[in-house]
Amino acid sequence: MTLSEAEKTIMDILDDLQNLVGNRYETVLRLRRADQNVVVELAKRLLEDVDSVKREQGIKSLMLTDNEKNLEIVLPMLNDSNSEVRRIAMFYIIRSEKFLENIEVINRVIKSLREDPRVEVRAEAAEGLRYCKTTPEVISALEYVSMHDYEYDDDGYSAGSVATASLQWIKENGS
C-alpha cells in the first residue's frame, strides 16, 4: 500500500495508539485533527488488509474519530475471520451512542452474543447489552447466555457470568 504524507502521519498516530505511546487522549486528539476524509479512506483500505493488526487500526481510526458516522462501516467487522478484530469491533460498537437505541445494531450485538465462537467477543457483547435499550430480545439473550455459556476467557470470565452481571445491572438501574 503506497501512502501519501498525510496517510503516513495518520499511520504514525495509529501506531502510537497500538503501542500505547504517549498520552492516549492527546493521541486521539491528533487523529481527530487530521483530515477526516483521508482518515476514512485510509481506514477503509485498512479494513480490507490481510494483516489483522491493520484491520484493528482501521476500526480504531474510524470509531475514535466519529463513531456515530462510521458505525455502519465497522459493523461488518463483527464477521471478520480474526477473533481479536471482532472483539475490537464489538468494543467500539457497544460504546457508540447509536448502539444504545438502534434496534438493528442491538440485534447484531445479540447475534454475536449468541453465535460468536470466541468467548472474548461474547463477553464484550454481554457487557454492552446492559447499557442499550432493554428489549425482550436483550433480556432473552442475556438470560440464555447466563444459563448456558460457561467457557472462560484468559482473564477468568465467562460470557455467562458477564451476562448475569448485565441482567443484575439492568434490574437495579433500568435501561
Side-chain angles (χ1 to χ4, degrees):
M1 173 181 348
T2 305
L3 300 176
S4 68
E5 284 306 311
E7 291 172 326
K8 287 178 187 174
T9 300
I10 293 165
M11 287 303 297
D12 288 343
I13 295 168
L14 293 173
D15 287 341
D16 288 350
L17 280 172
Q18 186 76 19
N19 299 317
L20 303 174
V21 173
N23 178 311
R24 179 177 166 78
Y25 176 75
E26 289 297 323
T27 306
V28 170
L29 283 179
R30 285 177 33 225
L31 183 63
R32 290 180 178 164
R33 288 183 194 125
D35 182 329
Q36 293 305 294
N37 292 326
V38 175
V39 171
V40 170
E41 289 310 309
L42 176 60
K44 286 178 180 177
R45 292 199 330 258
L46 291 172
L47 293 179
E48 296 173 0
D49 200 289
V50 295
D51 181 355
S52 63
V53 173
K54 298 286 188 211
R55 295 194 306 274
E56 291 172 24
Q57 288 178 317
I59 292 166
K60 290 175 185 178
S61 63
L62 287 166
M63 297 303 277
L64 289 171
T65 54
D66 190 340
N67 65 3
E68 301 309 313
K69 186 171 103 177
N70 297 324
L71 179 67
E72 297 300 325
I73 300 169
V74 171
L75 210 51
M77 299 310 289
L78 291 175
N79 297 321
D80 195 87
S81 60
N82 182 282
S83 63
E84 184 61 11
V85 170
R86 293 193 311 273
R87 190 196 66 76
I88 297 273
M90 183 64 73
F91 176 87
Y92 285 102
I93 288 167
I94 64 174
R95 285 160 177 79
S96 71
E97 206 170 306
K98 201 178 276 187
F99 163 69
L100 298 176
E101 296 289 330
N102 186 305
I103 297 301
E104 289 177 26
V105 178
I106 292 168
N107 287 339
R108 184 58 189 88
V109 171
I110 290 171
K111 182 176 192 257
S112 290
L113 173 65
R114 290 183 178 266
E115 299 175 8
D116 197 278
R118 296 296 298 175
V119 64
E120 293 83 1
V121 178
R122 296 191 311 271
E124 197 73 57
E127 172 76 21
L129 287 170
R130 75 176 62 182
Y131 301 112
C132 70
K133 180 178 182 177
T134 303
T135 66
E137 293 81 8
V138 168
I139 299 300
S140 173
L142 289 170
E143 287 175 342
Y144 179 84
V145 169
S146 71
M147 292 185 287
H148 295 96
D149 192 338
Y150 297 106
E151 178 185 0
Y152 288 93
D153 66 14
D154 292 338
D155 295 322
Y157 293 100
S158 71
S161 65
V162 177
T164 299
S166 290
L167 285 166
Q168 184 65 32
W169 192 92
I170 291 168
K171 180 180 174 186
E172 291 173 2
N173 300 290
S175 185

